[in-house]
Amino acid sequence: AVVSTQSGHYGRGKKEQLKVAQHLMEMELCPLSYILNRTVDLLFARDTEELFHEPVNVDEVQGYLDEIKQPMDLGTIRSKVENMEYSSFDQFKADFMLIISNCLLFNATGSNIYKYAEKLKDTCRTIMNRCKQTIENTPIDWNTLLLLKQEEKTLEEQLVDVKNKVEEAKAITNWSTRTSRLKQLRREIRKIKQRMNEEERLSTADSMSSAENPKSEPEEGGPSGEDATKDKQSKISEFFVKKEDGIEG
């Protein structure tokens, strides 16, 4: 029984590791879509009555398209995220706010669904703010929407970023996922510090080499630089005489 329990725990641990690896890969390849997808999951969960999960059935709600010129729902937002139709947080937020404004425009003020939409807007404000902050803190190449390589940042900036991610990882509720992520981030911190030490060592060595081997200065009173070159060329030219000036025959 003990072996079976350990085996089950090991299996769950491997699944969590694979899940983390998959998330990291998605984050590297499509950082904006990854962040927005996680946010959509939270928005779906907050819509407990599932009123905005799917498009309004215009066959059942008469006159809806007469009032609402641009329908929107969470399902459509998810599809747009998966198809990478968003290139910024503002576009994503605008569609979410469109859900709310459509509901408030079509339904009577003070009705249950009107109040529900207002409450949903308030409860999702924190989610949207966190989404925006995460995107701002993520090094995204906005031309390609890919994750910028860490090498494009200084080592000091990389170190700060990884330390911030450590603090974020501490909030992960799943023990196995949190432990794996923290181990990975701490390994990354050690690598960055090693590279910083190596760069400092090389910089120090270069400085010492320059001090021991200063550039030779021209002797005082003698020609230097361009003048020395011209002087040399003049001496060489003395050996060449035009044919008409020389002795023929």
Side-chain angles (χ1 to χ4, degrees):
V2 174
V3 174
S4 175
T5 302
Q6 291 178 342
S7 177
H9 178 72
Y10 176 78
R12 289 193 298 273
K14 290 293 290 183
K15 288 181 180 179
E16 288 294 339
Q17 290 177 4
L18 290 173
K19 189 175 181 180
V20 170
Q22 181 181 359
H23 285 180
L24 291 175
M25 182 180 67
E26 291 176 1
M27 182 64 173
E28 182 175 353
L29 295 176
C30 311
L32 181 62
S33 294
Y34 177 83
I35 296 168
L36 296 182
N37 251 323
R38 305 285 79 77
T39 303
V40 170
D41 288 340
L42 296 175
L43 297 177
F44 262 87
R46 288 300 177 94
D47 181 14
T48 54
E49 299 295 329
E50 301 183 4
L51 297 180
F52 306 117
H53 283 198
E54 299 177 356
V56 172
N57 189 330
V58 295
D59 293 330
E60 295 182 0
V61 183
Q62 296 183 358
Y64 188 79
L65 294 180
D66 294 335
E67 292 285 340
I68 306 302
K69 303 305 179 184
Q70 189 178 356
M72 185 54 61
D73 62 278
L74 293 175
T76 299
I77 290 179
R78 185 190 292 282
S79 296
K80 292 179 70 173
V81 170
E82 292 174 349
N83 293 328
M84 299 183 68
E85 295 182 34
Y86 294 115
S87 58
S88 70
F89 168 77
D90 289 339
Q91 293 175 351
F92 174 79
K93 181 181 179 181
D95 273 353
F96 173 73
M97 296 305 298
L98 186 59
I99 295 175
I100 304 299
S101 61
N102 284 347
C103 181
L104 300 182
L105 176 62
F106 184 79
N107 294 282
T109 304
S111 62
N112 289 336
I113 190 171
Y114 188 100
K115 293 178 181 178
Y116 180 83
E118 286 189 320
K119 183 178 179 181
L120 183 65
K121 176 184 175 183
D122 292 337
T123 57
C124 290
R125 182 176 289 112
T126 301
I127 295 174
M128 300 299 285
N129 288 340
R130 188 181 300 121
C131 175
K132 180 181 180 181
Q133 184 177 14
T134 302
I135 292 173
E136 290 175 347
N137 293 337
T138 302
I140 299 175
D141 183 340
W142 293 104
N143 292 320
T144 63
L145 295 182
L146 297 175
L147 194 67
L148 283 172
K149 293 181 179 179
Q150 287 283 48
E151 285 71 22
E152 297 183 21
K153 288 189 169 187
T154 66
L155 291 175
E156 289 77 9
E157 290 173 334
Q158 292 179 42
L159 186 60
V160 171
D161 287 348
V162 178
K163 286 183 176 180
N164 288 337
K165 290 177 181 178
V166 167
E167 295 304 315
E168 294 174 2
K170 290 178 180 179
I172 297 175
T173 55
N174 183 280
W175 178 86
S176 179
T177 303
R178 182 176 66 250
T179 302
S180 298
R181 183 65 172 145
L182 287 173
K183 285 182 179 179
Q184 182 186 41
L185 291 171
R186 284 164 181 158
R187 282 197 300 268
E188 186 65 23
I189 287 175
R190 287 196 295 271
K191 289 179 181 178
I192 294 174
K193 287 184 176 180
Q194 287 174 357
R195 290 168 60 191
M196 292 174 69
N197 291 336
E198 181 66 13
E199 284 194 2
E200 184 177 358
R201 185 186 68 79
L202 292 174
S203 177
T204 302
D206 289 342
S207 298
M208 293 176 63
S209 176
S210 299
E212 292 174 358
N213 301 288
K215 293 183 179 179
S216 58
E217 298 292 338
E219 294 183 5
E220 186 175 352
S224 62
E226 186 178 349
D227 292 337
T229 302
K230 289 181 178 179
D231 186 56
K232 182 178 180 181
Q233 291 175 343
S234 178
K235 289 180 179 179
I236 294 174
S237 298
E238 292 175 1
F239 292 94
F240 294 85
V241 180
K242 290 182 180 180
K243 185 175 181 180
E244 57 269 26
D245 294 337
I247 299 176
E248 297 183 6

